[in-house]
């Protein structure tokens, strides 16, 4: 018996009314036959002609681009970037929306995820429903904040630098990225060819003049001589082990936050928006209100941003334990926090290291997990430690909402939630939730 070939619907076009925004930078629409479309480059309430980019007859939903706007939203503007639009660069999701509308859309996504995955209304989460722009980012429509201090360029087979198209390995060659920070743009990466390279990550530190590029060669390719428009350190990703190794210059950049310098080595994690580290640190500290002498945990601690802020405020009698899986990040965290004798940094996965510490009670917890969230087992462990307050920093509203549901099962409620637009023009948003134990009736 032969299998009937599945018919691709890529290229098919539908005229649709665009419905609500969904998590992921698109809106939901339905064809006259009831088939669900996830439509990019559209806005709620518009009527558009949508062309399918992914999907087959048997697919639960289709992905599509709005290729013609038949009835436009009042929130629509012409995309400032010439590389934004159907079939072009996938780096931005909302170039076609006014800045205020972008933040409203992100707020709607957070509210929908909280309701669907945690059963919480904004009021129950202590959230006023707003997404706050970073300092200096409130610009008129048509102007774009230059916020991305770390840009991952892809390189095509001819050596031209660009950015990936949406859900594709294809490279959109660009001569300038509008959301790149000035320190990245001034390197001039797009102006030269990069023969033999697969990708280039450019980093412009906040609070120092440190600039760094990390080159990933194609298999068997030799590293080029790097001559850019500004002084820069060069690192390379090794083909054999995937490790990052210094070619010349410093193997780290120096970042500033909370009036302290943090060393971040080998392209390690640091918040991308220049205002993000301070914005999130302040939100966490305002929510936790650390007291002298308390014991705190900083989970997924990276190079020690929150651990340092906590140690500073807990004083000589306080103590902080940080846990981080990345070996180089742990080395950096220990270096960055060497002036705090009562800070300890352990290397390993949180779910493995935390049970081995023997810690049974703490006063404060900060967790800043990766995009997938902390997960049920880790949250269950944390709710048994009796912390008076927990700060959860989240870059993904779906993972945050799932974990908030687990915290509720463990006897914690959300005291406050704040949302920050630290990724303008994209669908990404950062949240800080402050949790506390539910008071038991006497």
């Amino acid at each position: 018996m032969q299998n009937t070939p599945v018919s691709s619907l890529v290229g098919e076009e539908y005229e649709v009314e665009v419905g609500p925004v969904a998590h992921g930078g698109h809106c939901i629409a339905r064809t006259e036959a009831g088939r669900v479309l996830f439509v990019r480059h559209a806005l709620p309430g518009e009527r558009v002609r949508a062309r399918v980019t992914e999907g087959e007859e048997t697919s639960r939903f289709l992905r599509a681009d709005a290729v013609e706007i038949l009835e436009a939203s009042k929130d629509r503007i012409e995309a400032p970037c010439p590389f934004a639009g159907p079939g072009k660069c996938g780096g931005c999701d909302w170039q076609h929306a006014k800045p205020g509308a972008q933040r409203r859309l992100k707020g709607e996504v957070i509210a929908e995820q909280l309701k669907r995955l945690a059963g919480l209304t904004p009021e129950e989460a202590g959230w006023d429903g707003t997404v706050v722009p970073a300092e200096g980012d409130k610009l008129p429509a048509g102007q774009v904040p230059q916020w991305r201090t770390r840009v991952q360029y892809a390189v095509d087979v001819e050596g031209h630098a660009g950015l990936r198209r949406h859900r594709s390995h294809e490279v959109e060659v660009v001569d300038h990225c509008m959301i790149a920070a000035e320190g990245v743009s001034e390197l001039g990466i797009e102006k030269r060819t990069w023969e033999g390279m697969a990708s280039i990550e450019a980093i412009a530190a906040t609070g120092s003049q440190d600039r760094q590029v990390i080159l990933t060669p194609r298999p068997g390719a030799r590293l080029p001589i790097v001559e850019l428009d500004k002084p820069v350190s060069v690192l390379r990703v090794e083909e054999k082990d995937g490790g990052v190794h210094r070619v010349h210059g410093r193997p780290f950049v120096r970042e500033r936050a909370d009036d302290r310098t943090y060393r971040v080595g080998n392209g390690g994690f640091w918040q991308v928006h220049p205002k993000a580290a301070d914005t999130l640190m302040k939100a966490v500290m305002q929510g936790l209100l650390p007291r002298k002498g308390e014991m705190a945990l900083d989970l997924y601690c990276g190079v020690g941003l929150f651990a340092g802020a906590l140690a500073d405020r807990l004083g000589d009698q306080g103590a902080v334990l940080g846990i981080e899986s990345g070996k180089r990040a742990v080395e950096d965290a220990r270096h960055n926090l060497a002036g705090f004798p009562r800070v300890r940094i352990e290397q390993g996965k949180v779910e493995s290291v935390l049970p081995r510490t023997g810690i049974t009670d703490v006063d404060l917890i900060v967790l800043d997990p990766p995009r997938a969230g902390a997960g049920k087992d880790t949250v269950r462990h944390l709710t048994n430690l009796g912390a008076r307050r927990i700060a959860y920093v989240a870059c993904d509203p779906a993972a945050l909402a799932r974990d908030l549901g687990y915290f509720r099962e463990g006897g914690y409620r959300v005291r406050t939630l704040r949302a920050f637009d630290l990724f303008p023009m994209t669908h990404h948003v950062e949240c800080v939730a402050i949790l506390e134990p539910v008071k038991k009736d006497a």
Side-chain angles (χ1 to χ4, degrees), residues 225-410:
I225 296 172
V226 177
E227 295 177 341
L228 293 171
D229 295 350
K230 294 285 181 179
V232 66
S233 298
V234 179
L235 287 72
R236 70 170 286 163
V237 177
E238 291 294 341
E239 185 180 337
K240 291 179 183 176
D241 59 6
V244 181
H245 301 278
R246 183 178 72 91
V247 177
H248 69 74
R250 289 194 187 98
F252 59 84
V253 294
R254 294 163 297 177
E255 302 278 5
R256 289 285 294 177
D258 197 26
D259 295 325
R260 185 176 291 105
T261 297
Y262 287 85
R263 185 182 83 181
V264 184
N266 289 7
F269 176 78
W270 186 260
Q271 291 289 341
V272 178
H273 194 294
K275 301 288 185 182
D278 271 323
T279 298
L280 296 174
M281 181 278 302
K282 288 173 184 173
V284 167
M285 295 304 126
Q286 288 167 359
L288 292 180
L289 296 175
R291 301 167 186 163
K292 298 291 185 185
E294 287 189 315
M295 163 67 185
L297 293 177
D298 181 10
L299 308 179
Y300 317 94
C301 71
V303 300
L305 171 65
F306 297 119
L310 284 165
D312 206 32
R313 290 155 178 80
L314 297 178
D316 295 340
Q317 300 306 308
V320 182
L321 171 66
I323 301 176
E324 165 60 39
S325 62
K327 184 178 178 183
R328 178 60 201 246
V330 168
E331 292 173 7
D332 286 336
R334 289 171 178 165
H335 168 87
N336 294 332
L337 305 176
F340 296 107
R342 291 179 61 80
V343 173
R344 191 167 99 244
I345 308 294
E346 295 287 344
Q347 186 195 346
K349 293 186 176 179
V350 168
E351 60 268 28
S352 302
V353 174
L354 189 55
R356 294 203 305 264
T357 63
I359 292 171
T360 56
D361 65 284
V362 297
D363 299 297
L364 303 172
I365 299 171
V366 181
L367 65 157
D368 185 5
R371 194 168 297 281
K376 193 169 190 175
D377 291 344
T378 296
V379 170
R380 183 185 291 129
H381 190 118
L382 297 181
T383 59
N384 289 326
L385 297 179
R388 67 173 179 85
R389 286 200 181 171
I390 298 172
Y392 189 128
V393 182
C395 61
D396 184 272
L400 170 66
R402 275 193 299 270
D403 284 347
L404 290 183
Y406 302 144
F407 273 110
R408 186 166 60 179
E409 292 171 11

Side-chain angles (χ1 to χ4, degrees), residues 109-130:
V109 168
I110 296 168
E112 191 269 336
Q113 297 295 309
L114 287 173
K115 189 64 178 174
R116 187 167 64 86
L117 298 173
L120 293 171
T121 64
E123 292 76 19
E124 289 168 333
W127 176 44
D128 65 5
T130 63

